[in-house]
Amino acid sequence: MAGPAVRDTALWLALAGVALVWFVGHPRSSVALELVLPLAVLAVAIPARRRWPVAAAFAVNALCAIGLAHPVTPANAYIVALAVSAYLLGTGATTTRSALRAFGGCLALDLALCAALGGGAVWWYYTLTAFPLALLVPWLFGRYWQAQLAFVRGGWQRAQLLERQQRLVAEQARLRERTRIAADMHDSLGHELSLIALRAGALELSPTLTGRDRADLGELRAAVSDAVGHLRDTVGVLRDAEGDRAATPADESVEELVDRARGSGVTVDLRREGTPAPPGLSPLVDRAVHRVVREALTNAAKHAPGGAVRVRIAHEGGRTDVRVTNSGGDAGKSHPPSGPVPGGHGLTGLRERVEVVGGTLRAAPRGTGFEVAATMPDRVGQDRPLREAVADSDTGSDTESREWEPESESVRQLTTARRRARLRFAAAFVVPGGFGLITLGSAAYAAFQLATCVLRPADYAQLHVGADRAEFANVLPARQFPYVSDSVKARPRPAGTTCAYYRSSGSLLDQVDVYRLCYSGSRLVSKDVVPGSGRG
């Protein structure tokens, strides 16, 4: 890609070529004032626009204003350089307010110069139309192009951001799966080790054991409790800051869980009432029921060893009620483990699991024991996308890769960039279009006025002094030249006469001769030519 110096040189050469072509076609132009000096100014303004864009626009506008002092036409080739400068100003970082202030200053300078030089109507018209068009229209297109580029860049940046997020999501999914597996091992092994510790505590009370056997069983129970503690600490390190919601075993029923607890010496009474509404329990609800029963059994083994546990599961009205109640443990027959034997994350994790499927959890002392009660719908509803997304994460699904916040920062930025591009696109066409309609309308009216006051040189040569106006009325224009300067009107004329003025050419921008015809009554008494006074 070409560097800034190469691009600046190419731009200068292109503008210099336009200026040279114009200069060759206007031999009355000054070499120093309208070629050498402007090209030197452009050579400085083009590279300086990057640091001082407003000053560069002022400098190029001054080059255009030189044409207002030209004796033949106010137009020059540097109007192209002004349009290019305005376009580059629009594509830069200049604010809208600063750019409009700069344009206002340029126009004020042009009008002041036109007034100081005493320009005619064409000069004023050129100043009020060509200069604003050369400034405003290219600037609007530059702003639109800048907004379009920002929109495209924003889209690519958002795509890159999404790619990075996808990589992060994949990495998080791997970490979450590892944590899920570790947490599942913790819950399952914690439950099993709790039952082993409970059986070891029961065997310590056997009358057939020797003192050495009881000591060995005590050490076994303590070792199991320590192992559970170490397992809990290890999984705690693997968990993220938000806390992982481990999945429950999907291949074990509540009945199988209760049978395993009974085999470990826990007295458990299981009773089911009713049947789930067709088509049955949702898998998420089924795992939540299993989790409630397992957590309650583990807590009963830990806090009330030797006590009886009642499990009641009732299905009614599309809802499932789970109640696990344990009586107080028998301190004379059993001893609780010496260390904590948690079965997951305790009641906090259990409450989260139940709330995920739309249920509620209550846990409180009941008599001498403790009761855990949960109420859940049989089916997970479709009106809770957030909870369902969290529940799906329990089974390892990647909700982050499927969900994108509709009001995320990147979406807002992209929407803003798109809206800005559309508004600038509309402004780049609507504003110049309206301005162009006004300009074309006024230009058409001015052209009509100037074109209908032209007396052809051949017809002027055929006019004879002393002839009656009726004799040559057919060759006179439909209207007189309306923009005669005061200096022309003040020229000497025959006493008692009335003079009429006509342009010698229909050129709108060039300075043309003006014919003056003076009448005494209806008789032509004099005719003369005022050189270069038909500016318009």
Side-chain angles (χ1 to χ4, degrees), residues 204-293:
E204 285 185 74
L205 303 179
S206 176
T208 61
L209 297 179
T210 63
R212 179 60 182 174
D213 294 335
R214 290 190 178 88
D216 291 342
L217 287 173
E219 293 177 359
L220 175 61
R221 178 170 52 82
V224 170
S225 298
D226 292 339
V228 174
H230 293 323
L231 181 62
R232 182 193 66 239
D233 295 338
T234 301
V235 175
V237 172
L238 293 176
R239 292 186 182 279
D240 54 21
E242 297 180 358
D244 183 78
R245 299 174 176 84
T248 60
D251 57 348
E252 183 183 45
S253 64
V254 173
E255 286 75 11
E256 292 173 341
L257 174 65
V258 170
D259 290 340
R260 287 197 300 110
R262 288 170 179 166
S264 299
V266 181
T267 304
V268 184
D269 176 40
L270 173 63
R271 184 175 59 174
R272 283 187 180 268
E273 298 178 358
T275 57
L281 290 181
S282 167
L284 296 176
V285 177
D286 188 41
R287 289 196 294 271
V289 171
H290 184 283
R291 176 72 175 271
V292 170
V293 175

Coordinates of all heavy atoms in Angstrom, one line a residue, residues 204-293:
E204 N -18.8 -50.6 65.7 CA -18.1 -50.3 66.9 C -18.8 -50.8 68.1 O -18.2 -51.1 69.2 CB -17.7 -48.9 67.0 CG -16.6 -48.4 66.1 CD -16.3 -46.9 66.3 OE1 -15.6 -46.7 67.4 OE2 -16.7 -46.1 65.5
L205 N -20.2 -50.8 68.0 CA -21.0 -51.1 69.2 C -21.3 -52.6 69.3 O -22.0 -53.0 70.2 CB -22.3 -50.3 69.1 CG -22.2 -48.8 69.0 CD1 -23.6 -48.2 68.9 CD2 -21.5 -48.3 70.2
S206 N -20.8 -53.4 68.3 CA -21.0 -54.8 68.4 C -20.4 -55.4 69.6 O -19.2 -55.2 69.9 CB -20.5 -55.5 67.1 OG -20.7 -56.9 67.2
P207 N -21.1 -56.3 70.4 CA -20.6 -56.9 71.7 C -19.6 -58.0 71.4 O -18.8 -58.4 72.3 CB -21.8 -57.4 72.4 CG -22.8 -57.6 71.3 CD -22.6 -56.6 70.3
T208 N -19.5 -58.4 70.2 CA -18.6 -59.6 69.9 C -17.2 -59.1 69.5 O -16.3 -59.9 69.3 CB -19.2 -60.4 68.7 OG1 -19.3 -59.5 67.5 CG2 -20.6 -60.9 69.1
L209 N -17.0 -57.8 69.3 CA -15.7 -57.3 68.9 C -14.8 -57.1 70.1 O -15.2 -56.8 71.2 CB -15.9 -55.9 68.2 CG -16.6 -56.0 66.9 CD1 -16.7 -54.6 66.3 CD2 -16.0 -56.9 65.9
T210 N -13.5 -57.3 69.9 CA -12.5 -57.1 70.9 C -12.2 -55.6 70.9 O -12.6 -54.8 70.0 CB -11.3 -57.9 70.6 OG1 -10.7 -57.4 69.4 CG2 -11.6 -59.4 70.5
G211 N -11.4 -55.2 71.9 CA -11.0 -53.8 72.0 C -10.2 -53.4 70.8 O -10.3 -52.2 70.3
R212 N -9.3 -54.3 70.3 CA -8.5 -54.0 69.1 C -9.3 -53.8 67.9 O -9.1 -52.9 67.1 CB -7.5 -55.2 68.9 CG -6.6 -55.0 67.7 CD -5.8 -53.8 67.8 NE -5.0 -53.6 66.6 CZ -4.2 -52.5 66.4 NH1 -4.2 -51.5 67.3 NH2 -3.5 -52.4 65.3
D213 N -10.4 -54.6 67.8 CA -11.3 -54.5 66.6 C -12.0 -53.1 66.6 O -12.2 -52.4 65.6 CB -12.3 -55.6 66.6 CG -11.7 -56.9 66.3 OD1 -10.6 -56.9 65.7 OD2 -12.3 -58.0 66.7
R214 N -12.5 -52.7 67.9 CA -13.1 -51.4 68.0 C -12.2 -50.3 67.6 O -12.6 -49.3 67.0 CB -13.7 -51.3 69.4 CG -14.9 -52.2 69.7 CD -15.6 -51.8 71.0 NE -16.7 -52.6 71.2 CZ -16.7 -53.8 71.9 NH1 -15.5 -54.3 72.3 NH2 -17.8 -54.5 72.1
A215 N -11.0 -50.4 68.1 CA -10.0 -49.4 67.7 C -9.8 -49.3 66.2 O -9.7 -48.2 65.6 CB -8.7 -49.6 68.5
D216 N -9.7 -50.5 65.6 CA -9.5 -50.5 64.1 C -10.7 -49.8 63.4 O -10.5 -49.1 62.4 CB -9.2 -51.9 63.6 CG -7.9 -52.4 64.1 OD1 -7.0 -51.6 64.5 OD2 -7.7 -53.7 64.1
L217 N -11.9 -50.2 63.9 CA -13.1 -49.6 63.2 C -13.1 -48.1 63.5 O -13.6 -47.3 62.6 CB -14.3 -50.2 63.8 CG -14.6 -51.7 63.3 CD1 -15.8 -52.3 64.1 CD2 -14.9 -51.7 61.8
G218 N -12.7 -47.6 64.6 CA -12.7 -46.2 64.9 C -11.7 -45.5 63.9 O -12.0 -44.4 63.4
E219 N -10.5 -46.1 63.8 CA -9.6 -45.5 62.8 C -10.1 -45.5 61.4 O -9.9 -44.6 60.6 CB -8.3 -46.3 62.9 CG -7.5 -46.1 64.2 CD -6.3 -47.0 64.3 OE1 -6.0 -47.7 63.2 OE2 -5.6 -46.9 65.3
L220 N -10.9 -46.6 61.0 CA -11.5 -46.7 59.7 C -12.5 -45.6 59.5 O -12.5 -44.9 58.5 CB -12.1 -48.1 59.5 CG -12.9 -48.2 58.2 CD1 -12.0 -48.0 57.0 CD2 -13.6 -49.6 58.2
R221 N -13.3 -45.4 60.5 CA -14.3 -44.3 60.4 C -13.7 -43.0 60.3 O -14.1 -42.1 59.5 CB -15.3 -44.4 61.7 CG -16.3 -43.3 61.7 CD -17.3 -43.6 62.8 NE -16.7 -43.8 64.1 CZ -16.2 -42.8 64.9 NH1 -16.4 -41.5 64.5 NH2 -15.7 -43.1 66.0
A222 N -12.6 -42.7 61.1 CA -12.0 -41.4 61.0 C -11.3 -41.3 59.6 O -11.3 -40.2 59.1 CB -10.9 -41.3 62.1
A223 N -10.7 -42.3 59.1 CA -10.1 -42.2 57.8 C -11.1 -41.9 56.7 O -10.8 -41.2 55.8 CB -9.3 -43.6 57.5
V224 N -12.3 -42.6 56.8 CA -13.3 -42.3 55.8 C -13.7 -40.8 55.9 O -13.9 -40.2 54.9 CB -14.5 -43.2 56.0 CG1 -15.7 -42.8 55.2 CG2 -14.1 -44.7 55.7
S225 N -13.9 -40.3 57.1 CA -14.3 -38.9 57.3 C -13.2 -38.0 56.7 O -13.6 -37.0 56.0 CB -14.5 -38.6 58.7 OG -15.6 -39.4 59.3
D226 N -12.0 -38.3 56.9 CA -10.9 -37.5 56.4 C -10.9 -37.6 54.9 O -10.6 -36.6 54.2 CB -9.5 -38.0 56.9 CG -9.4 -37.7 58.4 OD1 -10.1 -36.8 58.9 OD2 -8.5 -38.3 59.1
A227 N -11.1 -38.8 54.3 CA -11.2 -38.9 52.8 C -12.3 -38.1 52.2 O -12.1 -37.4 51.2 CB -11.3 -40.4 52.5
V228 N -13.4 -38.0 52.9 CA -14.5 -37.2 52.4 C -14.1 -35.7 52.4 O -14.4 -34.9 51.5 CB -15.8 -37.5 53.2 CG1 -16.9 -36.5 52.7 CG2 -16.3 -38.9 53.0
G229 N -13.5 -35.3 53.6 CA -13.0 -33.9 53.7 C -12.1 -33.6 52.6 O -12.1 -32.5 52.0
H230 N -11.1 -34.5 52.3 CA -10.1 -34.2 51.2 C -10.8 -34.1 49.9 O -10.5 -33.3 49.0 CB -9.1 -35.3 51.2 CG -8.2 -35.3 52.4 ND1 -7.8 -34.1 53.1 CD2 -7.6 -36.3 53.1 CE1 -7.0 -34.4 54.1 NE2 -6.9 -35.7 54.2
L231 N -11.8 -35.0 49.7 CA -12.5 -35.0 48.4 C -13.3 -33.7 48.2 O -13.3 -33.1 47.1 CB -13.5 -36.2 48.4 CG -14.4 -36.3 47.1 CD1 -13.5 -36.5 45.9 CD2 -15.4 -37.5 47.3
R232 N -13.9 -33.2 49.3 CA -14.6 -31.9 49.3 C -13.7 -30.8 48.9 O -14.0 -29.9 48.1 CB -15.3 -31.7 50.6 CG -16.1 -30.4 50.6 CD -16.6 -30.0 52.0 NE -15.4 -29.6 52.8 CZ -15.0 -30.2 53.9 NH1 -15.7 -31.2 54.4 NH2 -14.0 -29.9 54.6
D233 N -12.5 -30.8 49.6 CA -11.5 -29.7 49.3 C -11.0 -29.7 47.9 O -10.9 -28.7 47.2 CB -10.3 -29.8 50.3 CG -10.8 -29.6 51.7 OD1 -11.8 -29.0 51.9 OD2 -10.0 -30.1 52.6
T234 N -10.8 -30.9 47.3 CA -10.3 -31.0 46.0 C -11.3 -30.5 45.0 O -11.0 -29.8 44.0 CB -10.0 -32.5 45.6 OG1 -9.0 -33.0 46.6 CG2 -9.5 -32.6 44.2
V235 N -12.6 -30.9 45.1 CA -13.6 -30.4 44.2 C -13.8 -28.9 44.4 O -14.1 -28.2 43.4 CB -14.9 -31.2 44.5 CG1 -16.0 -30.6 43.6 CG2 -14.7 -32.7 44.1
G236 N -13.7 -28.4 45.6 CA -13.8 -27.0 45.9 C -12.8 -26.2 45.1 O -13.1 -25.1 44.6
V237 N -11.6 -26.7 44.9 CA -10.6 -26.0 44.1 C -11.0 -26.0 42.6 O -10.8 -25.0 41.9 CB -9.2 -26.7 44.3 CG1 -8.2 -26.1 43.3 CG2 -8.7 -26.6 45.7
L238 N -11.6 -27.1 42.2 CA -12.0 -27.1 40.8 C -13.2 -26.3 40.4 O -13.4 -25.9 39.3 CB -12.3 -28.6 40.4 CG -11.1 -29.6 40.4 CD1 -11.6 -31.0 40.1 CD2 -10.1 -29.1 39.4
R239 N -14.0 -25.9 41.4 CA -15.3 -25.2 41.1 C -14.9 -23.7 40.7 O -14.0 -23.1 41.2 CB -16.2 -25.2 42.4 CG -16.7 -26.5 42.7 CD -17.8 -26.5 43.8 NE -18.2 -27.8 44.1 CZ -19.1 -28.4 43.4 NH1 -19.7 -27.8 42.3 NH2 -19.5 -29.7 43.7
D240 N -15.8 -23.2 39.8 CA -15.6 -21.8 39.5 C -16.2 -20.9 40.5 O -16.8 -21.3 41.5 CB -16.2 -21.5 38.1 CG -17.6 -21.9 38.0 OD1 -18.3 -22.0 39.1 OD2 -18.1 -22.1 36.9
A241 N -16.1 -19.6 40.2 CA -16.5 -18.6 41.2 C -18.0 -18.6 41.4 O -18.5 -18.3 42.5 CB -16.1 -17.2 40.8
E242 N -18.8 -19.0 40.4 CA -20.2 -19.0 40.5 C -20.7 -20.3 41.2 O -21.9 -20.3 41.5 CB -20.8 -18.8 39.1 CG -20.5 -17.5 38.5 CD -21.1 -17.3 37.2 OE1 -21.8 -18.3 36.7 OE2 -20.9 -16.3 36.6
G243 N -19.9 -21.3 41.3 CA -20.4 -22.5 41.8 C -21.0 -23.4 40.8 O -22.0 -23.0 40.1
D244 N -20.5 -24.6 40.6 CA -21.0 -25.5 39.6 C -22.2 -26.3 40.2 O -22.3 -26.6 41.3 CB -19.9 -26.5 39.2 CG -20.4 -27.4 38.1 OD1 -20.4 -27.0 37.0 OD2 -20.7 -28.6 38.4
R245 N -23.2 -26.5 39.3 CA -24.3 -27.3 39.6 C -24.2 -28.7 39.1 O -24.4 -28.9 37.9 CB -25.6 -26.6 39.1 CG -25.8 -25.2 39.6 CD -27.0 -24.6 38.9 NE -27.3 -23.3 39.4 CZ -26.7 -22.1 39.1 NH1 -25.8 -22.1 38.2 NH2 -27.1 -21.0 39.6
A246 N -23.8 -29.6 39.9 CA -23.4 -30.9 39.4 C -24.7 -31.7 39.0 O -25.7 -31.5 39.6 CB -22.7 -31.7 40.5
A247 N -24.5 -32.5 38.0 CA -25.6 -33.4 37.6 C -25.7 -34.6 38.4 O -24.7 -35.2 38.9 CB -25.3 -33.8 36.1
T248 N -26.9 -35.0 38.7 CA -27.2 -36.2 39.5 C -27.1 -37.4 38.5 O -27.3 -37.3 37.3 CB -28.6 -36.1 40.1 OG1 -29.6 -36.0 39.0 CG2 -28.7 -34.9 41.0
P249 N -26.9 -38.6 39.1 CA -26.8 -39.8 38.2 C -28.1 -40.0 37.5 O -29.2 -40.0 38.2 CB -26.5 -40.9 39.2 CG -25.9 -40.2 40.4 CD -26.5 -38.9 40.5
A250 N -28.1 -40.1 36.2 CA -29.4 -40.3 35.5 C -29.8 -41.7 35.4 O -30.9 -42.0 35.0 CB -29.2 -39.7 34.1
D251 N -29.0 -42.7 35.8 CA -29.3 -44.1 35.6 C -29.7 -44.7 37.0 O -29.8 -46.0 37.1 CB -28.1 -44.8 35.0 CG -26.9 -44.7 35.9 OD1 -26.9 -43.8 36.8 OD2 -25.9 -45.4 35.6
E252 N -29.9 -44.0 38.0 CA -30.3 -44.5 39.3 C -31.7 -43.9 39.7 O -31.8 -42.7 39.7 CB -29.3 -44.2 40.3 CG -29.6 -44.8 41.7 CD -28.6 -44.4 42.8 OE1 -28.2 -43.3 42.8 OE2 -28.1 -45.3 43.5
S253 N -32.6 -44.8 40.1 CA -33.9 -44.3 40.5 C -33.9 -44.1 42.0 O -32.9 -44.4 42.7 CB -35.0 -45.4 40.2 OG -34.7 -46.6 41.0
V254 N -34.9 -43.4 42.5 CA -35.0 -43.2 44.0 C -35.1 -44.5 44.7 O -34.5 -44.6 45.8 CB -36.2 -42.3 44.2 CG1 -36.5 -42.1 45.7 CG2 -36.1 -40.9 43.6
E255 N -35.8 -45.5 44.2 CA -35.9 -46.8 44.9 C -34.5 -47.4 45.0 O -34.2 -47.9 46.1 CB -36.8 -47.7 44.1 CG -38.3 -47.3 44.2 CD -38.7 -46.1 43.4 OE1 -37.9 -45.7 42.6 OE2 -39.8 -45.6 43.6
E256 N -33.7 -47.3 44.0 CA -32.3 -47.9 44.1 C -31.5 -47.1 45.1 O -30.7 -47.7 45.8 CB -31.7 -47.9 42.7 CG -32.3 -48.8 41.7 CD -31.8 -48.6 40.3 OE1 -31.2 -47.6 40.0 OE2 -32.0 -49.6 39.5
L257 N -31.7 -45.8 45.1 CA -30.9 -45.0 46.1 C -31.3 -45.4 47.5 O -30.5 -45.6 48.4 CB -31.2 -43.5 45.9 CG -30.7 -42.5 46.9 CD1 -29.2 -42.6 46.9 CD2 -31.2 -41.1 46.6
V258 N -32.6 -45.6 47.8 CA -33.1 -46.0 49.1 C -32.6 -47.4 49.5 O -32.2 -47.7 50.6 CB -34.6 -45.9 49.2 CG1 -35.1 -46.5 50.5 CG2 -35.1 -44.5 49.1
D259 N -32.6 -48.3 48.5 CA -32.1 -49.7 48.8 C -30.6 -49.6 49.2 O -30.2 -50.4 50.1 CB -32.3 -50.6 47.5 CG -33.7 -50.9 47.3 OD1 -34.5 -50.8 48.2 OD2 -34.1 -51.2 46.1
R260 N -29.8 -48.8 48.5 CA -28.4 -48.7 48.9 C -28.3 -48.2 50.3 O -27.4 -48.6 51.1 CB -27.7 -47.8 47.9 CG -27.4 -48.5 46.6 CD -26.4 -47.8 45.7 NE -26.7 -46.4 45.4 CZ -26.0 -45.3 46.0 NH1 -25.1 -45.6 46.8 NH2 -26.4 -44.1 45.6
A261 N -29.1 -47.2 50.7 CA -29.0 -46.6 52.0 C -29.4 -47.7 53.0 O -28.8 -47.8 54.1 CB -29.9 -45.4 52.1
R262 N -30.5 -48.5 52.7 CA -30.9 -49.6 53.7 C -29.8 -50.6 53.8 O -29.5 -51.1 54.9 CB -32.1 -50.2 53.2 CG -33.4 -49.4 53.3 CD -34.5 -50.0 52.5 NE -35.8 -49.2 52.6 CZ -36.9 -49.4 51.9 NH1 -36.8 -50.4 50.9 NH2 -37.9 -48.7 52.0
G263 N -29.1 -50.9 52.7 CA -28.0 -51.8 52.8 C -26.8 -51.4 53.7 O -26.0 -52.2 54.1
S264 N -26.8 -50.1 53.9 CA -25.7 -49.5 54.7 C -26.1 -49.4 56.1 O -25.4 -48.8 57.0 CB -25.3 -48.1 54.1 OG -24.8 -48.3 52.8
G265 N -27.3 -49.8 56.5 CA -27.8 -49.8 57.9 C -28.7 -48.6 58.2 O -29.0 -48.4 59.4
V266 N -29.1 -47.8 57.3 CA -30.0 -46.7 57.5 C -31.5 -47.2 57.4 O -31.8 -47.9 56.4 CB -29.8 -45.5 56.6 CG1 -30.8 -44.4 56.9 CG2 -28.4 -45.1 56.7
T267 N -32.3 -46.9 58.4 CA -33.7 -47.3 58.4 C -34.5 -46.3 57.5 O -34.6 -45.1 57.9 CB -34.3 -47.4 59.8 OG1 -33.5 -48.3 60.6 CG2 -35.7 -47.8 59.7
V268 N -34.9 -46.7 56.4 CA -35.6 -45.8 55.5 C -37.0 -46.4 55.1 O -37.0 -47.6 54.7 CB -34.8 -45.5 54.2 CG1 -35.5 -44.5 53.3 CG2 -33.4 -45.1 54.5
D269 N -38.0 -45.6 55.1 CA -39.3 -46.0 54.7 C -39.7 -45.1 53.5 O -39.8 -43.9 53.6 CB -40.3 -45.8 55.8 CG -41.8 -46.1 55.4 OD1 -42.0 -47.0 54.6 OD2 -42.7 -45.3 55.8
L270 N -39.9 -45.7 52.3 CA -40.2 -45.0 51.1 C -41.7 -45.2 50.7 O -42.1 -46.4 50.7 CB -39.3 -45.4 50.0 CG -39.7 -44.9 48.6 CD1 -39.6 -43.3 48.5 CD2 -38.8 -45.5 47.5
R271 N -42.4 -44.1 50.4 CA -43.8 -44.3 50.0 C -44.1 -43.3 48.9 O -43.8 -42.1 49.0 CB -44.7 -44.0 51.2 CG -46.2 -44.2 50.8 CD -47.1 -44.1 52.1 NE -47.0 -42.7 52.6 CZ -47.7 -42.3 53.7 NH1 -48.6 -43.1 54.2 NH2 -47.5 -41.1 54.1
R272 N -44.7 -43.8 47.8 CA -45.1 -43.0 46.7 C -46.6 -42.9 46.7 O -47.3 -43.9 46.9 CB -44.6 -43.6 45.4 CG -43.1 -43.3 45.1 CD -42.8 -43.8 43.7 NE -41.4 -43.6 43.3 CZ -40.9 -42.5 42.7 NH1 -41.8 -41.5 42.4 NH2 -39.6 -42.4 42.5
E273 N -47.2 -41.8 46.3 CA -48.6 -41.6 46.2 C -48.9 -40.9 44.9 O -48.3 -39.9 44.5 CB -49.1 -40.7 47.3 CG -48.9 -41.2 48.7 CD -49.3 -40.3 49.8 OE1 -49.8 -39.2 49.4 OE2 -49.2 -40.6 51.0
G274 N -49.9 -41.5 44.2 CA -50.3 -41.0 42.9 C -49.3 -41.3 41.8 O -48.2 -41.9 42.0
T275 N -49.6 -40.8 40.6 CA -48.7 -41.0 39.4 C -48.6 -39.7 38.7 O -49.5 -38.8 38.7 CB -49.3 -42.0 38.4 OG1 -50.6 -41.6 38.0 CG2 -49.4 -43.4 39.1
P276 N -47.4 -39.4 38.1 CA -47.2 -38.2 37.4 C -48.2 -38.0 36.2 O -48.6 -39.0 35.6 CB -45.8 -38.2 36.9 CG -45.1 -39.3 37.7 CD -46.2 -40.3 38.1
A277 N -48.5 -36.8 35.9 CA -49.4 -36.6 34.7 C -48.7 -37.0 33.4 O -47.4 -36.8 33.4 CB -49.8 -35.1 34.7
P278 N -49.4 -37.6 32.5 CA -48.8 -37.9 31.2 C -48.1 -36.7 30.6 O -48.7 -35.6 30.7 CB -49.9 -38.5 30.4 CG -51.0 -38.9 31.3 CD -50.8 -37.9 32.5
P279 N -46.9 -36.9 30.0 CA -46.2 -38.1 29.7 C -45.2 -38.5 30.8 O -44.2 -39.1 30.5 CB -45.5 -37.7 28.4 CG -45.2 -36.3 28.5 CD -46.3 -35.7 29.3
G280 N -45.4 -38.0 32.0 CA -44.5 -38.4 33.1 C -43.6 -37.2 33.5 O -43.7 -36.1 33.0
L281 N -42.7 -37.5 34.4 CA -41.8 -36.5 34.9 C -40.8 -36.1 33.9 O -40.3 -36.9 33.1 CB -41.1 -36.9 36.2 CG -41.9 -37.1 37.5 CD1 -41.0 -37.6 38.6 CD2 -42.6 -35.9 37.9
S282 N -40.6 -34.8 33.9 CA -39.5 -34.3 33.0 C -38.2 -34.8 33.6 O -38.0 -35.0 34.8 CB -39.5 -32.7 33.0 OG -38.3 -32.2 32.5
P283 N -37.2 -35.1 32.7 CA -35.9 -35.6 33.2 C -35.3 -34.7 34.2 O -34.6 -35.1 35.1 CB -35.1 -35.8 31.9 CG -36.1 -36.0 30.8 CD -37.3 -35.2 31.2
L284 N -35.4 -33.4 34.0 CA -34.9 -32.4 34.9 C -35.5 -32.5 36.3 O -34.8 -32.5 37.3 CB -35.0 -31.0 34.3 CG -34.3 -30.7 33.0 CD1 -34.7 -29.3 32.6 CD2 -32.8 -30.8 33.2
V285 N -36.8 -32.7 36.3 CA -37.5 -32.8 37.6 C -37.2 -34.2 38.2 O -37.0 -34.2 39.5 CB -39.1 -32.7 37.4 CG1 -39.8 -32.9 38.7 CG2 -39.4 -31.4 36.8
D286 N -37.1 -35.2 37.4 CA -36.7 -36.5 38.0 C -35.3 -36.5 38.7 O -35.2 -37.0 39.8 CB -36.7 -37.6 36.9 CG -36.6 -39.0 37.4 OD1 -37.2 -39.3 38.4 OD2 -35.8 -39.8 36.8
R287 N -34.4 -35.8 38.0 CA -33.1 -35.7 38.7 C -33.1 -34.8 39.9 O -32.4 -35.1 40.9 CB -32.1 -35.1 37.7 CG -31.7 -36.1 36.5 CD -30.5 -35.7 35.8 NE -30.7 -34.4 35.1 CZ -31.1 -34.3 33.8 NH1 -31.5 -35.4 33.2 NH2 -31.3 -33.2 33.2
A288 N -34.0 -33.8 39.9 CA -34.1 -32.9 41.0 C -34.7 -33.7 42.2 O -34.3 -33.6 43.4 CB -35.0 -31.7 40.7
V289 N -35.7 -34.6 42.0 CA -36.3 -35.4 43.0 C -35.2 -36.4 43.6 O -35.0 -36.5 44.8 CB -37.5 -36.3 42.5 CG1 -37.9 -37.3 43.5 CG2 -38.6 -35.3 42.1
H290 N -34.4 -37.0 42.7 CA -33.3 -37.9 43.2 C -32.3 -37.1 44.0 O -31.9 -37.5 45.1 CB -32.6 -38.5 41.9 CG -31.6 -39.4 42.3 ND1 -30.3 -39.1 42.7 CD2 -31.6 -40.8 42.2 CE1 -29.6 -40.1 42.9 NE2 -30.3 -41.2 42.7
R291 N -32.0 -35.9 43.6 CA -31.1 -35.0 44.4 C -31.6 -34.7 45.7 O -30.8 -34.7 46.7 CB -30.8 -33.8 43.5 CG -29.9 -32.8 44.2 CD -28.4 -33.2 44.3 NE -27.6 -32.2 44.8 CZ -27.0 -31.2 44.1 NH1 -27.2 -31.2 42.8 NH2 -26.3 -30.3 44.7
V292 N -32.9 -34.3 45.8 CA -33.5 -34.0 47.2 C -33.4 -35.2 48.1 O -33.0 -35.0 49.3 CB -34.9 -33.5 47.0 CG1 -35.6 -33.4 48.3 CG2 -35.0 -32.2 46.2
V293 N -33.8 -36.4 47.6 CA -33.8 -37.6 48.5 C -32.3 -37.9 48.9 O -32.0 -38.2 50.1 CB -34.4 -38.7 47.8 CG1 -34.3 -40.0 48.6 CG2 -35.9 -38.4 47.5

